[in-house]
Amino acid sequence: MLKNTGNISEQIYLISTMQKSYVQEQLRKLGLNEIQARTLNYIYIYPGKIQKDLAKYLGKQNATITNILKLLEGKHYIKREIPSDNERQKNLYLTEDGEKAAEMIQTIFHDLEDILTNALSTSEIENIKGGLKKISDILK
Amino acid sequence: MLKNTGNISEQIYLISTMQKSYVQEQLRKLGLNEIQARTLNYIYIYPGKIQKDLAKYLGKQNATITNILKLLEGKHYIKREIPSDNERQKNLYLTEDGEKAAEMIQTIFHDLEDILTNALSTSEIENIKGGLKKISDILK
DNA sequence: ATACAACAATTGTAATTGTAACTGTTCGTT
DNA sequence: AACGAACAGTTACAATTACAATTGTTGTAT
C-alpha cells in the first residue's frame, strides 16, 4: 500500500494550492486571475521574452498563451512586438497600465512571502530556500 | 523595486508547475488530467469524505467539484452515497475500476517522489519535509 | 539556391473550470 | 413546532484552458 500523505511532492502541491487560493482572493479587486497575474509579473521581470518562454514558465501550451495574451492585450496591459531579425516570434512588453497592474501584483506576492517568512527565523528561511532550490534543479 | 525570483512562494510555484507537467505527461495514457487524478487519489486515501472536503483539498469551488465528479461518475470510477443521517451531503467512494485507476495514479506520484528524493540524502529529505510542514501550517 | 525539417505562434473546436443564482436539508433560536 | 440562517450540492451559463491541425518563418543540408 503506497499512500503519500507526507511526501515532498504532496506537500508542494498542498502549499501551492493554498498559495493560489490566497493570491486569487487578493486579485479579485484587480479583476485578474492567477495566471494573468503571473503573466504580467513575468513580463515585468523579464521584458522582451517571447511567448514560448512564458509558456514554459507557466507550464501551459503555446495555444493557451495566445489566449491569455489576447485577453491582456485587450485590456491594454501588454503589447507584442515582432523583432525585425525574427518575424516568427513576438517579444512581450508591458504598457503603462500593465506596469501599474504589475506593481500591485508584486505587492500581493510580496505580502504572501511575508506571511510565509514572518513566522520563521532567518536560518530556517535560508534552509528552506536551499532545499527548494535543490528540488527545482532536479526537476529542471 | 520588489522582484521576487528567489522567494519561497515563487519557488513553490515553479516546483508545483514542473510537478504538474510531469504528472500530466504520465497521466496521458490513463486519459485523465491532474485534477481528476488527484480526486481519485484523495478518495482512495480518504474514502467516505464529502464533496466539500474535496473542494477544500483541491482549492476549487463546490460547483467545479460537481463537474469533476460527474465526469468521473460517468467513467464509473466513483460512486456517491447520500448518508441516511444527513441527506444534503454525499459520501465519496471509488468503484472497482476507480480503485484500479487510483493504484496506477499512486505509482505515478510515487515515481515523482522518487525522482525528487533520489538525489537527496536522508537528512536533506527530513529537513525539507520539516520546512515544508512549517510552511503549510502557516498557510492553513 | 532549394528542399525540408524545426520552430513560434495561431485557429477552430472541444473540454474543463468558474460565477451567480437556486434547491433542498439541517441547525439553532425562540 | 416554526422561523430563518447556514450548509451541501446543483444548475445554467460564461470564461478559460487544452488539443489537433495549420500558417508562416527560420535554419540546415544538400
Side-chain angles (χ1 to χ4, degrees):
Chain A
M1 191 180 52
L2 308 164
K3 307 223 163 170
N4 50 14
T5 313
N7 281 0
I8 292 175
S9 57
E10 179 70 11
Q11 288 278 3
I12 294 281
Y13 175 72
L14 284 174
I15 295 169
S16 77
T17 302
M18 291 188 286
Q19 285 190 171
K20 188 172 174 178
S21 296
Y22 173 83
V23 170
Q24 269 176 341
E25 180 60 30
Q26 301 305 114
L27 284 169
R28 291 182 88 83
K29 49 184 174 294
L30 299 186
L32 295 170
N33 69 22
E34 199 213 6
I35 292 293
Q36 293 156 358
R38 294 213 180 258
T39 295
L40 291 175
N41 194 50
Y42 181 82
I43 302 173
Y44 179 76
I45 297 177
Y46 304 109
K49 285 274 189 182
I50 64 173
Q51 298 188 189
K52 201 188 81 115
D53 298 326
L54 177 61
K56 191 177 179 195
Y57 169 70
L58 295 173
K60 306 278 177 196
Q61 301 295 113
N62 290 333
T64 304
I65 299 300
T66 297
N67 288 324
I68 293 166
L69 294 177
K70 255 190 210 167
L71 195 144
L72 290 172
E73 206 168 44
K75 291 194 177 193
H76 305 292
Y77 282 168
I78 65 159
K79 54 197 172 202
R80 292 187 273 183
E81 292 178 6
I82 299 173
S84 53
D85 65 332
N86 192 338
E87 292 188 21
R88 78 187 154 185
Q89 58 195 29
K90 296 187 177 176
N91 298 118
L92 304 175
Y93 299 99
L94 296 181
T95 62
E96 266 189 55
D97 284 354
E99 289 268 346
K100 282 180 204 154
E103 278 157 18
M104 291 191 274
I105 290 161
Q106 279 271 320
T107 67
I108 292 172
F109 288 140
H110 190 263
D111 289 347
L112 170 61
E113 188 70 10
D114 277 350
I115 292 171
L116 296 187
T117 54
N118 276 345
L120 301 170
S121 72
T122 312
S123 67
E124 279 177 322
I125 293 170
E126 290 316 307
N127 274 336
I128 292 172
K129 281 187 181 175
L132 293 176
K133 178 80 171 50
K134 281 205 172 178
I135 301 275
S136 74
D137 285 342
I138 291 166
L139 282 174
K140 220 163 268 169
Chain B
M1 191 181 51
L2 308 164
K3 308 224 161 167
N4 50 15
T5 312
N7 281 0
I8 292 176
S9 56
E10 180 69 9
Q11 288 278 3
I12 295 280
Y13 176 72
L14 284 174
I15 296 169
S16 77
T17 302
M18 291 188 285
Q19 285 191 171
K20 187 174 175 178
S21 296
Y22 173 83
V23 170
Q24 269 176 340
E25 180 59 30
Q26 300 306 112
L27 284 169
R28 291 181 90 83
K29 48 185 175 292
L30 299 186
L32 295 169
N33 68 23
E34 199 213 5
I35 291 294
Q36 293 156 357
R38 295 216 180 257
T39 296
L40 291 174
N41 195 50
Y42 181 82
I43 302 174
Y44 180 75
I45 296 176
Y46 304 109
K49 285 275 189 184
I50 64 173
Q51 299 189 189
K52 201 186 79 114
D53 299 324
L54 177 62
K56 192 176 179 198
Y57 170 70
L58 295 174
K60 305 278 176 195
Q61 302 295 113
N62 290 332
T64 304
I65 299 300
T66 297
N67 288 326
I68 293 166
L69 294 177
K70 255 190 210 168
L71 194 144
L72 290 173
E73 205 167 44
K75 291 194 179 194
H76 306 291
Y77 282 166
I78 65 159
K79 55 197 172 200
R80 293 186 273 182
E81 292 178 7
I82 299 172
S84 53
D85 65 332
N86 192 336
E87 291 188 22
R88 80 185 153 186
Q89 59 196 28
K90 297 187 176 175
N91 298 117
L92 303 175
Y93 299 99
L94 296 181
T95 62
E96 265 188 57
D97 284 353
E99 290 267 346
K100 282 180 205 154
E103 277 156 20
M104 291 191 275
I105 290 162
Q106 279 272 320
T107 68
I108 292 172
F109 288 141
H110 188 264
D111 289 347
L112 170 60
E113 187 70 9
D114 277 349
I115 292 171
L116 296 188
T117 53
N118 276 345
L120 302 170
S121 71
T122 312
S123 69
E124 280 177 321
I125 293 171
E126 289 318 307
N127 274 336
I128 292 171
K129 281 187 182 176
L132 293 176
K133 178 81 171 51
K134 281 205 170 175
I135 301 274
S136 74
D137 285 343
I138 290 166
L139 282 174
K140 220 163 268 170

